[in-house]
Amino acid sequence: MNAGDRVFVAGHRGLVGSAIVRRLEAEGLRDVLVRTRDELDLTDRGAVLDFFLAERPAHVFLAAARVGGILANDTYPADFIRENLAIELSVIDAAHRAGLEKLLFLGSSCIYPRLAPQPIPETALLTGPLEPTNEAYAIAKIAGIELCRAYNRQHGTRFITAMPTNLYGPGDNFDLERAHVLPALLRRFHEARAGGDPVVTVWGTGTPRREFLHVDDLADACVFLMRNHEGSDIVNVGTGTDVTIAGLAALIRDVVGYEGEVRFDPSRPDGTPRKLLDVGRLRAMGWSARIGLREGVESTYRWFLEHASAAARS
Ligand code: GFB
């Protein structure tokens, strides 16, 4: 992937896609191709194939997906499996038909069994039952991995796959019901401080453990993998450390400067008890995450204050 190569980032308005575009532009790539949903419906196989044949990108980052937090996954499983399968099928098949050089598909750490060994090695894929709250999404992502592997095996394509852990950062979704935990809590603590509310409620028991990777680190890893990884082996992307949800809530409370009480609501789902990725494979290739959790939460909170807090109130 050189400065003059044409690169298509599918999903450039999302958390991951926008970070990949920032990263590519910072590197001086001059021909980064993007399309909004109105310009190109990625679930439309014919339209995607026409687009690939006309534009002929050399590299594709497949960061487009329907994503959401535990409640959104649990409430709209049909939307999560349908849209993700449709996007994967049209983009991966069109990439093969248009004969592009290389594609990177982004999976998720929820592809691993609910009770996988911790930290989770890549070899844990398809060794046990999935977490029920996001099974539909996970099966769509597993299908995406298998599509890449099958095309590689049958057609000799260079479709690689990365499995990021829980992500956060600028451009995230801060919707209180549909978002992931980190942006949801940033907003909830911010609004409680602004409104003088004495209590903030955190879903679940606070005991589940999660690993949080800043999306700029993920974008860096994606570009690294595009340049340095070949073949059908999936690659975990994480920090190698995790934190309890109670610990995350305490950190966010501190960053936001909220002085009230934190209460847990065990009637809300906890989801999988722990999901820490084994990042040994990626480290052995020479890549490690750089952005610490406190630093990442602080910069994401600044981004929220500048961009999203006004929109969140309206
Ligand atoms: O981030 P989250 O929705 O995703 O929830 P998952 C993580 C944990 O935070 C759960 C707790 O134990 C939640 O109960 N939590 C506490 C909250 N307060 C909140 C809150 O206000 N909002 C949210 N959302 N959670 C998702 C999957 O699982 O992870 C997706 O559903 C995807 O498929 C994504 O894989 C990375 O880590 O539980």
Side-chain angles (χ1 to χ4, degrees):
M1 202 172 53
N2 300 311
D5 286 352
R6 173 163 287 189
V7 180
F8 176 50
V9 180
H12 73 288
R13 282 187 165 166
L15 174 67
V16 174
S18 59
I20 293 175
V21 170
R22 280 197 302 278
R23 179 71 180 72
L24 293 172
E25 288 178 347
E27 284 237 341
L29 268 90
R30 295 187 297 272
D31 198 4
V32 178
L33 203 58
V34 295
R35 287 291 182 276
T36 63
R37 194 173 299 201
D38 288 345
E39 291 164 343
L40 178 64
D41 175 0
L42 292 172
T43 67
D44 179 339
R45 292 183 67 183
V48 173
L49 182 57
D50 288 347
F51 166 76
F52 273 44
L53 291 173
E55 301 292 344
R56 299 226 165 255
H59 297 83
V60 171
F61 290 90
L62 178 41
R66 169 175 279 251
V67 298
I70 191 167
L71 186 66
N73 268 270
D74 209 19
T75 313
Y76 309 105
D79 294 349
F80 276 78
I81 192 164
R82 185 192 69 247
E83 279 184 43
N84 287 307
L85 284 175
I87 293 169
E88 291 160 8
L89 200 52
S90 34
V91 175
I92 292 168
D93 187 58
H96 159 58
R97 286 175 196 272
L100 63 78
E101 238 176 82
K102 201 165 175 182
L103 174 143
L104 177 116
F105 170 69
L106 281 145
S108 164
S109 58
C110 69
I111 58 155
Y112 293 115
R114 171 182 162 81
L115 299 177
Q118 307 287 326
I120 312 172
E122 286 89 347
T123 50
L125 178 63
L126 294 173
T127 57
L130 297 163
E131 156 63 31
T133 54
N134 57 35
E135 190 162 9
Y137 176 75
I139 285 179
K141 287 293 182 184
I142 293 170
I145 296 169
E146 196 50 38
L147 270 171
C148 291
R149 289 172 159 179
Y151 276 72
N152 290 347
R153 195 148 57 93
Q154 187 177 334
H155 298 298
T157 46
R158 292 165 70 205
F159 296 165
I160 62 170
T161 55
M163 299 307 121
T165 192
N166 287 37
L167 301 169
Y168 71 97
D172 211 342
N173 172 8
F174 288 85
D175 182 283
L176 286 175
E177 292 293 307
R178 295 181 185 218
H180 290 102
V181 60
L182 197 152
L185 291 187
L186 266 179
R187 178 170 165 191
R188 205 168 298 139
F189 278 104
H190 170 77
E191 290 183 351
R193 195 197 59 171
D197 303 342
V199 177
V200 163
T201 303
V202 175
W203 298 355
T205 59
T207 58
R209 301 186 71 91
R210 293 289 184 275
E211 178 187 17
F212 295 97
L213 178 71
H214 192 284
V215 72
D216 287 347
D217 270 338
L218 174 70
D220 193 60
C222 288
V223 171
F224 176 87
L225 287 169
M226 189 63 106
R227 292 203 166 117
N228 297 293
H229 182 58
E230 296 293 341
S232 290
D233 284 348
I234 64 176
V235 183
N236 288 341
V237 188
T239 62
T241 51
D242 62 359
V243 61
T244 62
I245 295 302
L248 176 76
L251 171 64
I252 293 178
R253 177 178 182 269
D254 192 42
V255 167
V256 170
Y258 174 72
E259 291 180 346
E261 189 193 331
V262 177
R263 241 179 244 163
F264 293 93
D265 176 4
S267 71
R268 298 281 196 159
D270 268 343
T272 197
R274 195 175 185 199
K275 206 168 36 167
L276 175 65
L277 293 180
D278 180 339
V279 289
R281 188 174 280 178
L282 187 54
R283 281 206 181 132
M285 292 168 67
W287 189 92
S288 302
R290 281 189 281 242
I291 305 172
L293 185 57
R294 172 172 282 271
E295 176 195 349
V297 168
E298 283 170 353
S299 61
T300 303
Y301 185 47
R302 282 196 297 275
W303 187 91
F304 173 78
L305 292 175
E306 282 161 26
H307 297 88
S309 59
R313 269 197 304 277
S314 62

